């Protein structure tokens, strides 16, 4: 069951125990909230409030995926953090999505960017590998004291983005998925319960939004929440280089649904108005 649903149930239970006299329920401080109150500048920055350390997982040491790099907040003062695994796309290496690792970790997450077992692995395999990477990160002797295993999310580009949906289909406990110009032959995902953000690219000719991102978004009928953001004038490979729009809305989504941090709702709903100035051609949320 999703974290936010559990919290809502706890509040409802508190109301029932108040007896016949109806008392206002005062929400407890969110125990998963990390970092200062966000601003546009803070989530657009290339580095957030946390210093980041790294650990390399070699292909020989990896169990079920092709190796990777773990990025994690250096401090232990703030307790544990949610964990995010990120996959590259078809024929691509970890290096193509590695920029996201330190950027997201510096906002208060443990992140693993991965190489896949082969460059040709299909979305279902990439989904399995994302879950394997989450499991190995959670158990890793260096970072396990920093990880809250109950708060997991996946991200991926292209076939890796299609793999995020496969992972969420297989592991219903995932809190969030983010697909970056995702590709998958399966177009319908009613099995996915995780809050799901789909980021498409207006000029994508590899995974055109009309046959990939938008159908994926439209089919997520049972997701805790779903959103579609389209990058104006961008190609399929926009996620392969540092991109402030991708980072900003990915961070807001992870904070909102992995950390249950409502301070980030302001960036999600009503969300950005598409314009030439902000580089967004479409935005939907429901």
């Amino acid at each position: 069951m999703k974290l936010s649903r559990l919290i809502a149930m706890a509040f409802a239970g508190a109301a029932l125990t108040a007896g016949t006299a109806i008392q206002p329920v005062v929400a407890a401080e969110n125990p998963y909230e990390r970092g200062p109150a966000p601003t546009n500048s803070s989530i657009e920055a290339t580095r957030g409030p946390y210093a980041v350390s790294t650990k390399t997982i070699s292909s020989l040491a990896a169990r079920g995926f092709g190796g990777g790099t773990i990025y994690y907040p250096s401090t232990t003062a703030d307790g544990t953090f949610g964990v995010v695994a990120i996959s590259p796309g078809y024929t691509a290496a970890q290096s193509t999505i590695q920029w996201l690792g330190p950027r997201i970790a510096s906002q208060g997450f443990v992140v693993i960017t991965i190489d896949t077992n082969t460059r040709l692995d299909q979305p279902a395999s990439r989904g399995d590998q994302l879950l394997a990477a989450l499991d190995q990160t959670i158990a890793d002797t260096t970072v396990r004291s920093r990880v809250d295993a109950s708060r997991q999310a996946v991200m991926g580009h292209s076939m890796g983005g299609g793999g995020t949906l496969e992972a969420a289909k297989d592991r219903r406990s995932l809190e969030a998925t983010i697909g970056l110009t995702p590709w998958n032959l399966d177009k319908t995902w009613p099995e996915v319960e995780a809050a799901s953000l789909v980021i498409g690219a207006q000029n994508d000719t590899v995974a055109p939004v009309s046959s990939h991102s938008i159908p994926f978004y439209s089919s997520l009928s049972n997701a805790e929440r779903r959103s579609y953001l389209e990058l104006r004038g961008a190609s399929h490979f926009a996620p392969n280089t540092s991109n402030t729009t991708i980072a900003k809305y990915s961070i807001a989504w992870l904070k909102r649904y992995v950390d249950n941090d409502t301070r980030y709702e302001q960036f999600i709903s009503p969300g950005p108005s598409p314009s030439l100035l902000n580089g967004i051609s479409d935005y939907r949320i429901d």
Side-chain angles (χ1 to χ4, degrees):
M1 184 177 291
K2 298 294 173 287
L3 172 64
S4 56
R5 294 179 194 169
L6 288 171
I7 292 174
M9 289 172 64
F11 290 163
L16 289 172
T17 58
T20 55
I22 298 175
Q23 301 292 333
V25 177
V26 179
E29 182 180 352
N30 175 15
Y32 308 110
E33 187 177 290
R34 300 288 183 268
T39 64
N40 268 306
S41 296
S42 72
I43 63 171
E44 290 179 353
T46 57
R47 291 295 179 271
Y50 290 97
V52 173
S53 300
T54 63
K55 178 176 181 177
T56 300
I57 305 297
S58 71
S59 59
L60 295 176
R63 299 187 296 275
F65 59 105
T69 308
I70 301 174
Y71 301 87
Y72 58 97
S74 302
T75 183
T76 58
D78 287 352
T80 55
F81 302 91
V83 58
V84 184
I86 309 176
S87 169
Y90 187 67
T91 77
Q94 175 190 180
S95 58
T96 61
I97 43 86
Q98 203 154 20
W99 67 273
L100 285 160
R103 193 154 179 171
I104 293 174
S106 70
Q107 296 285 347
F109 296 95
V110 175
V111 181
I112 181 167
T113 58
I114 70 169
D115 280 307
T116 47
N117 289 324
T118 79
R119 300 286 183 91
L120 306 182
D121 291 336
Q122 298 296 298
S125 174
R126 290 170 193 266
D128 291 341
Q129 292 177 62
L130 283 165
L131 296 180
L134 286 173
D135 292 341
Q136 186 160 343
T137 303
I138 289 166
D140 184 85
T141 55
T142 300
V143 300
R144 64 189 178 194
S145 63
R146 291 174 167 83
V147 174
D148 180 348
S150 71
R151 297 187 287 126
Q152 304 178 27
V154 289
M155 295 180 65
H157 172 235
S158 191
M159 283 196 183
T164 66
L165 298 170
E166 302 277 1
K169 177 181 176 179
D170 292 341
R171 183 173 294 180
R172 304 295 178 90
S173 60
L174 291 181
E175 298 290 348
T177 74
I178 302 175
L180 308 174
T181 61
W183 187 100
N184 199 310
L185 290 176
D186 187 346
K187 309 301 181 184
T188 58
W189 297 96
E191 309 93 342
V192 172
E193 298 177 6
S196 298
L197 170 62
V198 180
I199 299 180
Q202 187 179 33
N203 292 343
D204 192 337
T205 58
V206 177
V209 296
S210 61
S211 56
H212 291 272
S213 291
I214 292 174
F216 297 161
Y217 162 77
S218 298
S219 74
L220 289 162
S221 55
N222 291 311
E224 181 178 5
R225 203 174 189 186
R226 58 183 173 175
S227 182
Y228 173 66
L229 184 150
E230 187 176 283
L231 303 169
R232 182 179 294 275
S235 79
H236 183 70
F237 302 102
N240 292 158
T241 55
S242 181
N243 184 298
T244 296
T245 302
I246 289 173
K248 174 181 181 177
Y249 292 100
S250 295
I251 290 164
W253 197 258
L254 293 171
K255 282 290 192 177
R256 179 65 184 85
Y257 290 102
V258 177
D259 289 357
N260 202 46
D261 194 335
T262 56
R263 298 178 300 173
Y264 288 81
E265 181 69 21
Q266 61 181 303
F267 306 107
I268 295 171
S269 181
S273 297
S275 75
L276 292 171
L277 295 178
N278 65 12
I280 296 171
S281 51
D282 194 0
Y283 184 78
R284 312 177 194 185
I285 180 77
D286 60 13

